[in-house]
């Protein structure tokens, strides 16, 4: 708010993101429960809120999605507020936002520089080139993939990276013709695992470890 003699009061423009960041800072500094929370303590909440966003996208209303995105944003703010109090390497939500903005500008040279991308595939070329330049310390195409992902999501991610070094897994001879049929086939496989007393999640993770060995061998 700014005033001068003889002038009307001018309200500063509302900044909801700044307001919620300040709310989070106040909660972290004064709420006795929040003061005790660590990054590790927040992980289950982050997973839960992420799944609730997915559920809102797939099954909820627009109001549900808006609310769940807000809850997910709160997790980002919470982690940033914890990080701001780190005695050795502190950073806050502004540092997070600044780094994100710089990265996204860098990865979209067709938007913010003079590169050209007329198709989605050309966009991916620029994105992957920028990402590769940022991750020069990585030694394998599989580096940076979070191993805590659910097995199916992890498999899809690893297969995409493995294809870059010519390691692939042949699809079944009776491949599903649609996502719906794929769902049926996956459910049938899980049913077969259950009937035989096998752990479907563990089986896929063990197979992925074998594929990771193949990829790293191909890269060496």
């Amino acid at each position: 708010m700014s005033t001068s003699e003889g002038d009307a009061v001018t309200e500063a423009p509302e900044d909801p993101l700044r307001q919620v960041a300040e709310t989070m800072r106040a909660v972290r500094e004064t709420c006795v429960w929040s003061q005790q929370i660590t990054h590790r303590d927040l992980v289950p909440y982050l997973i839960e809120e992420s799944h609730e966003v997915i559920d809102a996208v797939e099954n909820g209303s627009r109001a549900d999605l808006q609310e769940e995105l807000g809850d997910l944003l709160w997790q980002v703010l919470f982690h940033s507020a914890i990080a701001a109090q780190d005695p050795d390497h502190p950073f806050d939500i502004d540092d997070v936002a600044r780094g994100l903005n710089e990265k996204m500008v860098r990865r979209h040279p067709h938007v913010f520089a003079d590169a050209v991308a007329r198709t989605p595939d050309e966009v991916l070329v620029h994105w992957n080139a920028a990402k590769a330049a940022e991750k020069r310390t990585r030694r394998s195409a599989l580096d940076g993939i979070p191993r805590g992902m659910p097995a199916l999501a992890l498999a899809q991610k690893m297969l995409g990276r493995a294809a870059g070094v010519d390691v692939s897994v042949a699809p079944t001879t009776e491949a599903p013709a649609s996502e719906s049929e794929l769902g049926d086939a996956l459910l049938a496989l899980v049913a077969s695992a259950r009937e035989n007393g096998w752990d479907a999640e563990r089986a896929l993770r063990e197979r992925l470890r074998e594929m990771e060995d193949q990829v790293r061998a191909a890269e060496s």
Side-chain angles (χ1 to χ4, degrees):
M1 181 184 298
S2 62
T3 61
S4 61
E5 189 175 348
D7 291 339
V9 173
T10 302
E11 294 289 342
E14 184 182 17
D15 186 348
L17 284 174
R18 175 53 52 194
Q19 289 172 357
V20 74
E22 289 302 312
T23 297
M24 178 68 253
R25 182 187 60 77
V27 167
R28 174 66 177 177
E29 291 178 357
T30 60
C31 171
V32 292
W33 182 84
S34 299
Q35 288 171 345
Q36 306 303 313
I37 297 298
T38 67
H39 290 298
R40 187 176 293 274
D41 294 333
L42 278 182
V43 167
Y45 299 99
L46 179 60
I47 293 171
E48 180 180 350
E49 297 299 351
S50 298
H51 283 290
E52 288 183 0
V53 169
I54 294 168
D55 191 55
V57 168
E58 295 179 345
N59 304 301
S61 66
R62 301 294 293 173
D64 292 334
L65 179 58
Q66 178 180 331
E67 179 181 359
E68 298 304 340
L69 285 172
D71 290 345
L72 186 58
L73 174 60
W74 186 254
Q75 294 300 307
V76 176
L77 292 167
F78 208 154
H79 277 287
S80 299
I82 295 171
Q85 296 175 333
D86 187 275
D88 300 317
H89 303 288
F91 62 83
D92 61 16
I93 191 61
D94 289 324
D95 297 313
V96 172
R98 188 178 301 110
L100 173 63
N101 186 64
E102 290 171 356
K103 179 167 68 175
M104 290 302 111
V105 168
R106 191 166 57 246
R107 290 188 183 182
H108 292 81
H110 54 292
V111 176
F112 300 104
D114 56 1
V116 176
R118 296 186 177 87
T119 67
D121 285 343
E122 290 176 351
V123 170
L124 286 177
V125 169
H126 293 307
W127 177 277
N128 290 331
K131 190 171 182 179
E134 296 164 7
K135 310 295 183 182
R136 286 188 178 132
T137 58
R138 291 183 177 174
R139 297 185 175 183
S140 170
L142 301 181
D143 288 349
I145 299 177
R147 296 309 190 269
M149 293 172 68
L152 277 177
L154 179 61
Q156 192 146 349
K157 189 79 171 178
M158 288 182 66
L159 283 168
R161 297 280 188 91
V165 291
D166 295 325
V167 174
S168 61
V169 177
T172 60
T173 53
E174 297 180 5
S178 67
E179 279 197 6
S180 177
E181 289 187 12
L182 175 62
D184 290 340
L186 290 170
L187 188 59
L189 285 172
V190 173
S192 177
R194 182 176 179 277
E195 187 173 317
N196 286 279
W198 301 331
D199 186 320
E201 177 87 3
R202 183 175 62 232
L204 181 54
R205 286 190 177 279
E206 289 180 352
R207 179 62 183 88
L208 289 174
R209 278 193 285 272
E210 293 177 13
M211 191 180 74
E212 181 169 359
D213 291 341
Q214 290 178 270
V215 170
R216 295 188 185 278
E219 291 174 325
S220 61

